[in-house]
Amino acid sequence: MFSLKSYFKHSSVTILYGIFAVIIVGLSACQSPQQTAPQAPTNVPSTPSQSQANPPVTTPANLPSASADWKADGSITPGEYQNHQAFDDYEINWSNDDQYVYIGMKAKTMGWVAVGFGATTFMNNANIIQGYFSDGKVTVADQFSTGNFGPHNDVTSLGGTYAILDSGGSQTNGTTIIEFKRKLNPGDKFHPALVKGVNKIIWAYGGDNQYLIKHVSRGEGQITIQ
Ligand code: HEM
């Protein structure tokens, strides 16, 4: 028979069991972080692997590796440059670190190959780097254009300082390669700074080693500095 006394007795026991169960669950819940805490060290190695997964070129600290495999030897090898852009029979490859840009130009010609930075109108105000062979010797000229269609004379003749820090080239089987290294910002008016992001370039190549004779192909483009 139902009795109030046995009901309360039964309920108290139930409540007591309930409280006991809550305490047990609570205790085990409190312990669980301590149990997972030792796992924390096993998570630690994941930190380096996450940063390793970051694209290396976005971290300035990693940018100097741009120059690691670079050689101004007249040969453009796979992985030597981080970027590549082709315009008809002319191509430009480039990398940069926080101070320098490394350029490799290649064109289907036995003539001169050039790139210009910072042109305002046509060729005007561009720092033009023109590479050419003469008597089997490569010259990488550092020039500045003082007019829309030249003249572009050596910066030294205009009072500037030659800013090509390393260079080289090759001519084989109808292809000319010119490689050079320049500061991103050589710091004078003949060398417009290359800045982070998109930079306009002009490019051209000539038909033979008469480097004063006009291009057979020319155009505009852009390179991105990291
Ligand atoms: C070697 C001596 C050079 C001479 C005598 C010369 C002369 C000229 C002349 C007369 C023009 C206008 C006619 C045309 O479109 O063909 C021109 C245009 C142009 N040149 Fe040169 N150039 C020389 C070198 C260069 C170099 C080294 C570059 C690039 C690095 C260059 C880039 C250009 C570009 C991009 C244009 C087209 C401008 C436009 O129409 O927007 N030139 N050049």
Side-chain angles (χ1 to χ4, degrees):
M1 281 295 286
F2 174 80
S3 100
L4 214 54
K5 196 175 164 191
S6 76
Y7 171 76
F8 279 119
K9 191 178 168 192
H10 184 74
S11 298
S12 325
V13 169
T14 309
I15 288 165
L16 273 175
Y17 274 127
I19 290 170
F20 187 65
V22 166
I23 289 170
I24 295 291
V25 169
L27 276 177
S28 60
C30 288
Q31 280 172 356
S32 65
Q34 288 165 8
Q35 284 168 349
T36 56
Q39 291 173 7
T42 61
N43 287 336
V44 168
S46 72
T47 308
S49 75
Q50 275 167 9
S51 67
Q52 280 166 4
N54 287 337
V57 290
T58 59
T59 313
N62 288 334
L63 284 176
S65 67
S67 63
D69 298 323
W70 185 81
K71 281 193 192 82
D73 57 0
S75 160
I76 295 172
T77 51
E80 185 177 7
Y81 293 93
Q82 290 166 348
N83 305 283
H84 169 88
Q85 187 79 248
F87 307 94
D88 302 326
D89 284 343
Y90 172 104
E91 68 176 65
I92 183 164
N93 302 270
W94 75 98
S95 301
N96 73 279
D97 52 34
D98 50 356
Q99 280 200 74
Y100 306 107
V101 65
Y102 307 83
I103 303 271
M105 302 180 281
K106 182 176 177 181
K108 276 190 189 150
T109 181
M110 290 300 273
W112 57 265
V113 185
V115 64
F117 304 124
T120 48
T121 48
F122 306 102
M123 296 157 61
N124 199 18
N125 292 317
N127 171 212
I128 289 178
I129 291 100
Q130 187 191 30
Y132 56 88
F133 282 78
S134 187
D135 297 329
K137 183 176 156 277
V138 63
T139 297
V140 178
D142 182 9
Q143 309 163 338
F144 183 76
S145 183
T146 47
N148 279 342
F149 305 118
H152 39 96
N153 292 313
D154 284 341
V155 294
T156 48
S157 71
L158 300 168
T161 305
Y162 186 76
I164 305 304
L165 301 171
D166 195 0
S167 64
S170 64
Q171 269 192 333
T172 40
N173 302 327
T175 297
T176 298
I177 291 176
I178 299 292
E179 297 183 287
F180 68 90
K181 170 183 174 181
R182 195 201 88 160
K183 268 191 174 176
L184 290 169
N185 184 10
D188 67 29
K189 63 178 180 175
F190 304 112
H191 299 98
L194 289 169
V195 294
K196 263 191 186 167
V198 171
N199 293 259
K200 182 188 153 186
I201 60 163
I202 54 174
W203 60 267
Y205 62 87
D208 57 43
N209 283 335
Q210 297 302 307
Y211 66 91
L212 293 175
I213 294 180
K214 200 178 121 182
H215 25 76
V216 292
S217 187
R218 85 298 191 271
E220 288 181 6
Q222 58 190 37
I223 62 171
T224 301
I225 296 295
Q226 305 283 348

